């Protein structure tokens, strides 16, 4: 589950690489806004990791057998 969540995070990270590259090129202009956008991108990647992990867990978890009966 961790490996799949890591893979999903990396995939989204590659999709957002262009945005991060543009932020790195214009780093001298508005450093405060740039830092906030980078933080937001990192939080998005963290959210992708957590949501993927939880989705895989819920897809695989069958529950407590006596409570299903």
């Amino acid at each position: 589950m961790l490996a799949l969540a890591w893979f999903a995070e990396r995939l989204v990270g590659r999709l957002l690489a262009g945005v991060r590259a543009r932020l790195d090129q214009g780093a001298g202009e508005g450093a405060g806004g740039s830092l906030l956008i980078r933080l937001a991108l990192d939080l998005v990647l963290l959210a992708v990791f957590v949501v993927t992990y939880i989705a895989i867990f819920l897809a695989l978890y069958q529950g407590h057998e006596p409570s299903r009966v």
Side-chain angles (χ1 to χ4, degrees):
M1 289 189 313
L2 288 174
L4 288 175
W6 177 80
F7 178 74
E9 177 192 3
R10 290 295 167 187
L11 181 65
V12 173
R14 283 184 182 246
L15 293 173
L16 295 175
V19 175
R20 191 173 291 272
R22 278 184 257 139
L23 286 173
D24 290 340
Q25 289 176 354
E29 297 169 359
S34 175
L35 287 175
L36 287 177
I37 294 173
R38 286 183 191 161
L39 176 65
L41 288 175
D42 288 339
L43 290 175
V44 165
L45 292 177
L46 180 63
V48 166
F49 181 86
V50 170
V51 168
T52 303
Y53 185 86
I54 291 172
I56 293 169
F57 173 77
L58 291 176
L60 296 176
Y61 182 66
Q62 296 297 316
H64 190 244
E65 188 172 340
S67 64
R68 286 187 307 200
V69 174

